[in-house]
Amino acid sequence: MVHPIFRHLPRRTLVAGSLAWLACMGALPVQAQTAYPGRPIVMVVPQAAGGTNDIVGRVVGQRLGEVLGGSVVVENRPGAGGNIGTQAVARSPKDGYTLLLTISSSQAINPALYKNPGFDPVKDFRPVSLIGAVPNVLLVHPSFPAKNVAELLALAKAKPGHYQYASAGNGTLNHLLGEMLNTTAGVSLQHVPYKGVAPAINDVLGGQLPMLFASLPSALSHIQAGKLRALAVSSPARSPVLPDVPALAETVPGYNGTLWIGLFAPAGVPSEVLARLQDGMAKALASKDFRATLERQGVELAGTPERPVSAEQFSAILNEDIAKWARIVKSSGAAVD
């Protein structure tokens, strides 16, 4: 299944990108193709353990290491909404041994949210692979009286400012998803930031707060266990993993908050190393068991095994998201120094 945010990609662009990539790979010297990697690769995840990026990163790291014939070590470097880890990769040696596995909130939202995020998402990085899209889920504690989005909005309108929602921190995607709901639905849910998604989920599990937005991979086990109730997904269409849970757009027209996950290398990495990484991820994404593992986690994979999303297409998606979230950040008034 192709996620809605990827359907606009022109077929001719995909074919042209694939041919160009194959030509590039064919032109590489044999030594350049086999010499890398000669030591472990560090894949930086700029979020804390337990979140979507960490879950996906460990699956991707293991398979990419197998494909490349080396090892990939996942290193969590959380802080400042993902800026700390992202800055570290941008400033790392340009040799292909330090990579960034990140989510669109860090790469596409932070440049608008922070006065000085410490990196340029376009100039400081080169796309390796777009892995897929992940919806967030609007979750409530099982004791919360609203059984659907319409009932939640009715409660919120009856008591403006009374109900609170948790997030992983100021300016994070799940914070802005709540602000987007306030704006599009005309309600006033109060934001309570935490230092990471795990403590935010824990307090909703414990009943200290009634609700939050959380990525599907980080919340799926709690939904399946009945510890949290899913009211809606943030993507424009329902998730195949939760087919009975409606999209928020079914109640709030125009609502769309999907994040993607992708792998980047710092700008300046030798072209032959970048091509080797792109080839490795293309092979990983062609694996049925690898795709099935990620799909079970709620990841809606980009492209198809035969036609992965090209680096050029990934760049276009990044640029579109940077512009989109800049508008949302500006309209919400959110800002982080």
Side-chain angles (χ1 to χ4, degrees):
M1 178 177 179
V2 179
H3 192 275
I5 70 170
F6 309 131
R7 287 176 184 157
H8 71 286
L9 298 175
R11 183 186 181 98
R12 62 179 180 276
T13 302
L14 181 59
V15 172
S18 299
L19 291 174
W21 169 78
L22 288 171
C24 175
M25 285 303 296
L28 292 179
V30 173
Q31 183 177 1
Q33 294 185 46
T34 57
Y36 173 85
R39 64 178 190 271
I41 298 168
V42 175
M43 180 185 290
V44 173
V45 171
Q47 286 81 30
T52 295
N53 211 19
D54 179 64
I55 293 169
V56 174
R58 294 182 187 281
V59 177
V60 170
Q62 179 178 350
R63 181 52 57 91
L64 182 59
E66 293 169 355
V67 171
L68 294 178
S71 62
V72 177
V73 179
V74 175
E75 181 178 312
N76 295 90
R77 287 201 187 183
N83 288 348
I84 291 176
T86 306
Q87 291 171 15
V89 177
R91 299 167 183 171
S92 68
K94 320 304 181 187
D95 55 10
Y97 287 97
T98 306
L99 306 176
L100 176 72
L101 189 88
T102 192
I103 51 180
S104 53
S105 56
S106 294
Q107 211 71 353
I109 297 176
N110 284 6
L113 188 68
Y114 290 80
K115 292 181 180 178
N116 181 20
F119 64 92
D120 186 302
V122 176
K123 294 180 180 179
D124 290 342
F125 295 94
R126 294 293 175 265
V128 174
S129 175
L130 178 60
I131 296 165
V134 181
N136 269 248
V137 190
L138 177 55
L139 302 161
V140 296
H141 188 271
S143 65
F144 193 67
K147 299 298 189 291
N148 53 52
V149 173
E151 292 180 2
L152 168 62
L153 297 180
L155 290 173
K157 289 178 180 179
K159 293 184 177 180
H162 176 76
Y163 296 101
Q164 298 175 313
Y165 71 96
S167 85
N170 285 316
T172 57
L173 180 65
N174 37 31
H175 169 205
L176 293 177
L177 290 173
E179 293 303 315
M180 191 191 302
L181 182 59
N182 282 340
T183 300
T184 54
V187 294
S188 181
L189 301 171
Q190 295 301 303
H191 173 227
V192 179
Y194 284 76
K195 293 182 178 180
V197 69
I201 290 177
N202 286 338
D203 268 14
V204 176
L205 285 168
Q208 283 84 0
L209 288 176
M211 72 188 85
L212 84 162
F213 281 93
S215 64
L216 184 51
S218 65
L220 186 58
S221 63
H222 300 304
I223 297 169
Q224 293 171 335
K227 295 178 179 179
L228 293 172
R229 185 165 66 245
L231 296 188
V233 294
S234 67
S235 50
R238 298 190 181 200
S239 168
V241 178
L242 297 174
D244 296 328
V245 177
L248 252 166
E250 295 177 35
T251 305
V252 184
Y255 192 98
N256 178 9
T258 301
L259 78 136
W260 46 255
I261 302 174
L263 184 64
F264 292 85
V269 167
S271 59
E272 63 270 19
V273 172
L274 182 62
R276 184 77 189 276
L277 288 166
Q278 291 168 339
D279 176 51
M281 281 304 303
K283 289 177 178 176
L285 286 165
S287 166
K288 290 183 178 179
D289 63 326
F290 176 72
R291 295 178 72 88
T293 299
L294 289 176
E295 286 171 346
R296 284 194 298 270
Q297 297 291 340
V299 179
E300 298 171 12
L301 291 159
T304 66
E306 299 78 18
R307 293 196 177 101
V309 174
S310 70
E312 293 77 13
Q313 291 170 325
F314 188 10
S315 293
I317 290 171
L318 172 62
N319 283 312
E320 288 175 8
D321 264 14
I322 289 171
K324 166 191 168 181
W325 286 109
R327 293 191 298 269
I328 294 171
V329 168
K330 183 177 180 180
S331 65
S332 72
V336 180
D337 292 331

